[in-house]
Amino acid sequence: MYVPKPFTPDEADVRALLTHLGAADLVTMTPQGLLATLLPFEYDPDTGEHGALIGHMARANGHWREPVQGEAMVIVHGPQAYVSPTWYATKAEHHRVVPTWNYVRAHVYGRLAVHDDPAWIVAQMRRLTDRHEAGSAEPWSVDQAPAKFLEGQLRAVVGVELVISRIEAKAKLSQNQPRQNVEGVIAGLEARGRSDDAAVAAAVRAHSRYADTP
């Protein structure tokens, strides 16, 4: 991943991205070529030196059966948004501005392990659903599913675990812009209100080098 110095996130940012991740892309090089599957993952910080990403996929998906050549990679998506040059105050001064894209991403590399163990898989399912159901007025639990039905569901999936060896992350959030342009980007995103705009605006504000100056 190409990461210019201004866009390098700190360890706390990366940990937060992994802790709150949703679905991410599992990518592996195999004898059949590159394979990719979008899966919901959970971050397990207590496995190995750098933690692990744990999930499950359909048994019918042949991706898990293919031998992995080298490291596997999970592409973790943070918020992203188009940035219009009309939001830059410097446009009125010299017009030397162009559109760009603000985003947060992590490429997480490691060894991929497959778990064909119902106990491991159901524990991962509980962890996943408990986190995503936490904000519900009536949260659903794995225990609400009939035992026989759950047994059938477990037979239809396999667990996957990426034991992390290294992480390349990038937070491109207008850090290379002067204060007036950063303020314009935040205002423009908040006013536009498309999907992810509010999250990107908050991230731009949090990563601005002007955040703690008057």
Side-chain angles (χ1 to χ4, degrees):
M1 180 187 290
Y2 170 58
V3 187
K5 187 174 181 180
F7 304 145
T8 302
D10 60 30
E11 290 186 11
D13 290 329
V14 176
R15 189 164 51 251
L17 178 63
L18 298 182
T19 299
H20 299 99
L21 68 83
D25 297 299
L26 171 65
V27 182
T28 61
M29 175 58 77
T30 76
Q32 306 303 316
L34 282 170
L35 296 178
T37 301
L38 182 70
L39 299 172
F41 279 101
E42 283 291 299
Y43 175 52
D44 177 7
D46 300 321
T47 295
E49 183 180 356
H50 304 289
L53 299 181
I54 58 175
H56 62 272
M57 71 168 64
R59 186 178 295 274
N61 183 344
H63 189 168
W64 67 273
R65 298 181 185 275
E66 294 293 332
V68 179
Q69 298 177 342
E71 292 179 306
M73 177 174 69
V74 172
I75 303 175
V76 178
H77 306 267
Q80 59 174 309
Y82 172 79
V83 174
S84 172
T86 62
W87 298 341
Y88 292 156
T90 55
K91 176 182 178 296
E93 300 172 12
H94 48 60
H95 291 276
R96 295 192 299 274
V97 294
V98 293
T100 192
W101 204 270
N102 276 357
Y103 60 90
V104 179
R105 284 291 182 276
H107 292 177
V108 183
Y109 298 86
R111 175 179 57 83
L112 187 67
V114 175
H115 295 275
D116 201 1
D117 173 11
W120 190 98
I121 297 168
V122 77
Q124 190 275 329
M125 287 181 172
R126 289 181 189 278
R127 185 169 179 169
L128 179 70
T129 55
D130 287 351
R131 178 165 70 92
H132 288 285
E133 291 283 340
S136 174
E138 298 182 6
W140 183 86
S141 166
V142 170
D143 295 323
Q144 295 179 30
K148 289 292 184 182
F149 171 77
L150 183 59
E151 288 174 10
Q153 295 296 301
L154 291 173
R155 287 193 296 269
V157 300
V158 295
V160 292
E161 178 182 30
L162 184 84
V163 181
I164 300 170
S165 58
R166 59 193 176 97
I167 301 172
E168 297 177 348
K170 184 174 182 177
K172 181 180 177 296
L173 298 164
S174 300
Q175 299 98 317
N176 59 336
Q177 293 294 329
R179 178 200 293 269
Q180 64 268 41
N181 286 359
V182 171
E183 292 172 350
V185 168
I186 293 170
L189 288 166
E190 291 178 340
R192 188 174 63 190
R194 294 179 187 170
S195 175
D196 261 4
D197 282 350
V200 175
V204 170
R205 182 178 286 108
H207 287 78
S208 171
R209 63 184 186 274
Y210 309 111
D212 298 322
T213 60

